[in-house]
Amino acid sequence: MKLHQLQALVGVVEHGSIRATAREMHLTQAALTKSLRTLEEDVGVSLLIRKSRGVVLTEAGQRLHARAKLVTRQITLAHEDLRQSQGDDTGTLRVGITPYLMLTVLGEAFMWFRRRYPKVQLRLVEGLVARVLPSLRDGSLDFAIVADSGEVIHTEFDATRLLKEPQKIVVRKAHPILLQATAARLAELEWVLPGPFANDLDDGLNAMFKQAGVKAPSLMTRCDAMAAMALVRQSDAVSVMPAPLLAQPECRGLVEISLRKLNPPPIELVLLAPPDVPLTPAAAYFARCLTDAIMTQHTGRQI
């Protein structure tokens, strides 16, 4: 297998057609088609099914694409690493960031980063754990900072634990339960939780209600963080959010319910990167900007 063949395979999947990929790679369609056909001959299996609306991968093609994507990204990063180590400030950086950090420290970290790397192309994605882990595995992300509530297998990645944040039970400001909030009454309401469809946050909430001697809520809706905020603000649902979020404009109209018997499990911020592969200088610097901003915010709250 040749690098240009793997690049052709990744390009066809990314752009959806041979014509678009040929244009992006500055090749003729005939040259690109020959490269893909030669790749199939070399590996001895069919990789692509050509249809009127483009191409789709066979099962073998999907397996090879996953590895080809990782290989081609690492080649790109190798070039960027060498250029940046010589003072070049260009390249592309792909990072997953938990919504909590997007709403709190991302802006400050971004400004610090831009002063050093004004030309690096940034690709930022909402870093819910279920979305981030597959992208770290296939090389789509260079690193991520996630709010881990138990899903991360720390031996799979280079993992740096940053800090733990307390979480609060929140409802809308005019919620009818505010005057007579009890664990039992909260358990009767619908809970809206940010994150994947099932994770250890569910177990933590179940344990919280069990410790309070109350049956856990039977109705839990899972969604992205911004959707959770909107649903809680516009309904009688209950949610759990990191405590610092309540000071952000996006949480305007939400208030904390504090009950001695109900203490939501904390979240832990963790920086994850592929193992055994160094970050490029730009990636390492952005990671430092983010971690410095996190620690500055944390220590500032303690003063």
Side-chain angles (χ1 to χ4, degrees):
M1 289 182 283
K2 306 295 192 299
L3 177 59
H4 73 275
Q5 296 172 334
L6 298 179
Q7 290 171 328
L9 179 65
V10 172
V12 166
V13 174
E14 180 177 341
H15 298 290
S17 71
I18 289 177
R19 176 184 297 179
T21 306
R23 188 185 311 117
E24 182 69 20
M25 296 182 69
H26 305 291
L27 298 172
T28 65
Q29 292 186 52
L32 181 62
T33 300
K34 180 180 179 181
S35 181
L36 291 168
R37 186 178 297 117
T38 302
L39 176 61
E40 289 180 316
E41 292 171 355
D42 289 344
V43 298
V45 294
S46 176
L47 302 173
L48 298 168
I49 300 174
R50 293 154 182 84
K51 296 188 175 182
S52 58
R53 294 185 178 181
V55 296
V56 296
L57 293 174
T58 64
E59 182 178 349
Q62 292 173 6
R63 297 177 69 87
L64 181 57
H65 173 255
R67 296 184 182 276
K69 191 175 180 181
L70 183 59
V71 169
T72 55
R73 178 58 180 162
Q74 288 303 318
I75 292 293
T76 299
L77 289 176
H79 285 295
E80 291 182 1
D81 195 323
L82 293 173
R83 292 198 304 268
Q84 290 170 7
S85 65
Q86 298 300 312
D88 193 339
D89 63 353
T90 62
T92 301
L93 180 55
R94 303 169 182 174
V95 182
I97 302 178
T98 177
Y100 161 51
L101 295 185
M102 287 185 169
L103 296 174
T104 53
V105 304
L106 176 60
E108 186 173 26
F110 176 79
M111 288 190 294
W112 293 344
F113 177 76
R114 273 288 172 246
R115 293 181 190 131
R116 173 63 182 84
Y117 289 99
K119 297 179 182 179
V120 168
Q121 298 287 337
L122 277 176
R123 302 289 184 266
L124 304 177
V125 300
E126 188 174 287
L128 295 175
V129 174
R131 187 176 301 159
V132 161
L133 298 189
S135 297
L136 283 172
R137 293 184 185 112
D138 68 17
S140 299
L141 293 178
D142 300 314
F143 74 88
I145 298 181
V146 299
D148 178 26
S149 54
E151 303 96 326
V152 176
I153 303 173
H154 291 269
T155 56
E156 185 179 3
F157 305 98
D158 282 341
T160 303
R161 290 181 171 87
L162 301 177
L163 58 85
K164 285 188 176 182
E165 289 283 20
Q167 297 204 95
K168 301 296 183 181
I169 299 171
V170 297
V171 296
R172 64 183 177 91
K173 194 172 184 179
H175 199 292
I177 202 174
L178 286 173
L179 296 178
Q180 294 180 320
T182 64
R185 292 195 65 193
L186 284 171
E188 295 173 355
L189 299 175
E190 179 172 1
W191 286 61
V192 176
L193 303 176
F197 293 131
N199 66 5
D200 285 359
L201 180 56
D202 293 351
D203 295 336
L205 288 178
N206 290 336
M208 177 183 72
F209 279 99
K210 183 177 180 180
Q211 187 175 8
V214 175
K215 186 177 179 180
S218 59
L219 191 56
M220 292 189 182
T221 294
R222 307 302 302 232
C223 57
D224 287 345
M226 296 305 293
M229 290 181 186
L231 288 175
V232 175
R233 188 181 293 110
Q234 299 168 19
S235 73
D236 286 341
V238 188
S239 189
V240 172
M241 296 180 184
L245 272 186
L246 292 175
Q248 300 303 313
E250 290 79 5
C251 287
R252 187 179 297 113
L254 303 182
V255 294
E256 171 192 351
I257 287 184
S258 180
L259 296 177
R260 183 170 55 85
K261 292 184 177 181
L262 290 182
N263 295 301
I267 59 169
E268 183 175 27
L269 296 179
V270 183
L271 191 155
L272 301 174
D276 305 320
V277 180
L279 295 176
T280 64
Y285 187 72
F286 191 41
R288 177 183 170 185
C289 290
L290 286 166
T291 54
D292 284 355
I294 291 168
M295 297 308 173
T296 298
Q297 181 198 61
H298 182 69
T299 55
R301 291 199 308 269
Q302 290 181 330
I303 294 176

